[in-house]
Amino acid sequence: MLKPVKIIEDQDYAWPVFVTVLYFLLFQLFMANQVKAKVDLSGGEPATFNRFDYSSKRWEMADRSFLNFLEQTPFFMSILWLFALFCNAESAGSAGLVYVVARAFFPIFWS
């Protein structure tokens, strides 16, 4: 028989909240980088730009960095908050902060 799982309510959720805000600020920065690369490489005509043409390494880096970020967001947010609610909020925040810092270096590591 399964036992009910209870949320640990008497925790400080400041770190997971901080990591979540930081994560989405970085998300917006990566998206702005993708848009800037598209506008710059299209000569000011982004509607005519072929987003699947990866002949420009700058475009490929900007596009893949943002889209990989987008692909990993549901998984990361789910794990962060499930761990914070049911295990330990401080540990979730610490691990999440490490992940966000590593995620910020993704374009550098990718290049």
Side-chain angles (χ1 to χ4, degrees), residues 32-46 49 56 58-59:
N33 182 46
Q34 183 199 37
V35 169
K36 174 101 170 81
K38 184 176 183 178
V39 169
D40 289 350
L41 294 169
S42 69
E45 295 292 328
F49 188 72
S56 168
R58 178 179 175 208
W59 168 248

Side-chain angles (χ1 to χ4, degrees), residues 33-80:
N33 182 46
Q34 183 199 37
V35 169
K36 174 101 170 81
K38 184 176 183 178
V39 169
D40 289 350
L41 294 169
S42 69
E45 295 292 328
T48 63
F49 188 72
N50 179 6
R51 73 165 306 294
F52 298 107
D53 179 12
Y54 285 137
S55 58
S56 168
K57 287 298 179 188
R58 178 179 175 208
W59 168 248
E60 186 177 7
M61 182 273 301
D63 190 49
R64 287 312 315 150
S65 295
F66 174 65
L67 292 178
N68 183 269
F69 202 116
L70 181 66
E71 292 161 0
Q72 299 304 317
T73 297
F75 178 74
F76 172 70
M77 282 293 129
S78 299
I79 295 300
L80 174 73

Side-chain angles (χ1 to χ4, degrees), residues 3-103:
K3 295 183 180 183
V5 178
K6 297 188 188 262
I7 293 176
I8 304 170
E9 295 177 1
D10 58 340
Q11 297 187 85
D12 181 10
Y13 291 98
W15 278 107
V17 168
F18 174 70
V19 167
T20 300
V21 169
L22 194 62
Y23 186 85
F24 282 109
L25 287 173
L26 189 61
F27 182 88
Q28 294 297 318
L29 182 66
F30 275 40
M31 183 173 55
N33 182 46
Q34 183 199 37
V35 169
K36 174 101 170 81
K38 184 176 183 178
V39 169
D40 289 350
L41 294 169
S42 69
E45 295 292 328
T48 63
F49 188 72
N50 179 6
R51 73 165 306 294
F52 298 107
D53 179 12
Y54 285 137
S55 58
S56 168
K57 287 298 179 188
R58 178 179 175 208
W59 168 248
E60 186 177 7
M61 182 273 301
D63 190 49
R64 287 312 315 150
S65 295
F66 174 65
L67 292 178
N68 183 269
F69 202 116
L70 181 66
E71 292 161 0
Q72 299 304 317
T73 297
F75 178 74
F76 172 70
M77 282 293 129
S78 299
I79 295 300
L80 174 73
W81 281 100
L82 285 172
F83 193 86
L85 292 170
F86 295 111
C87 297
N88 185 296
E90 187 176 344
S91 295
S94 299
L97 190 58
V98 169
Y99 178 79
V100 169
V101 169
R103 174 55 68 180

